[in-house]
Amino acid sequence: MTVPIRRDQRQTIAFGIILIAVGAGILGVNVFPHAGAVILLAVGLFLLADGVITRQYAPLVPGGIMAGLGAGVIVGELPGMSDAANGGWVVAGMGLGFLSIWLIARALRLSVQSPWPLIPAAIFLTIGGGLLVAGAASWAAQAWPIVLVVIGLLIVVGALRSRPGGPGPDGG
């Protein structure tokens, strides 16, 4: 026979679970530097799944935002990312998170299908895209000597191929 949990016990248990989650999260971040982003993504995906399973709009909003931000941080922290690209992925992740709210609500045909998430999605995706383009331009600005090397190689190879006695287009 199960004894029902009293309301005050539920609140105490909920508070204890919150403390455990916060403490575990802080320990995880101290031990694993990127654990914060993974935790953020996991909580966001959990909330999105909750919204899909229960067909409720409310968990989709924080779930989409948290999952998008967590995914953006994870991608932005990959090795070799410039600061501009890192920021671009974080901001674009936020935009994709807002877009996911609207897409999931539409796919589930929920009663709340307001287009409001499209406004921050467009803003964040535009800014994130701009930062990513700036990051790519920064990389291109550093990599332009490669173009000189390739052009130089093409000139040398072309000159060697056309010299008398060298291997020409006729093979001889």
Side-chain angles (χ1 to χ4, degrees):
M1 171 177 167
T2 18
V3 177
I5 299 174
R6 295 186 328 259
R7 179 182 171 95
D8 63 324
Q9 286 177 316
R10 280 194 302 249
Q11 290 173 339
T12 304
I13 291 170
F15 181 68
I17 290 172
I18 290 170
L19 288 177
I20 291 168
V22 169
I26 292 170
L27 282 173
V29 170
N30 288 338
V31 175
F32 304 104
H34 304 295
V38 173
I39 292 168
L40 191 61
L41 176 62
V43 170
L45 291 174
F46 172 79
L47 289 169
L48 286 174
D50 180 46
V52 169
I53 291 167
T54 62
R55 300 183 63 83
Q56 292 184 16
Y57 188 77
L60 295 180
V61 176
I65 294 168
M66 292 173 75
L69 181 59
V73 170
I74 289 170
V75 172
E77 289 180 348
L78 291 175
M81 289 286 177
S82 68
D83 288 342
N86 181 329
W89 282 113
V90 171
V91 175
M94 285 287 293
L96 292 172
F98 276 102
L99 183 60
S100 74
I101 297 165
W102 183 77
L103 289 173
I104 293 170
R106 298 259 315 173
L108 294 175
R109 293 185 173 93
L110 297 178
S111 60
V112 181
Q113 291 187 19
S114 171
W116 77 265
L118 296 177
I119 296 168
I123 293 168
F124 282 121
L125 287 170
T126 300
I127 294 170
L131 289 171
L132 288 170
V133 167
S138 170
W139 178 85
Q142 294 176 357
W144 69 269
I146 295 172
V147 174
L148 295 178
V149 171
V150 170
I151 292 172
L153 284 171
L154 291 173
I155 290 172
V156 169
V157 168
L160 289 174
R161 289 181 66 97
S162 65
R163 70 183 175 133
D170 59 359

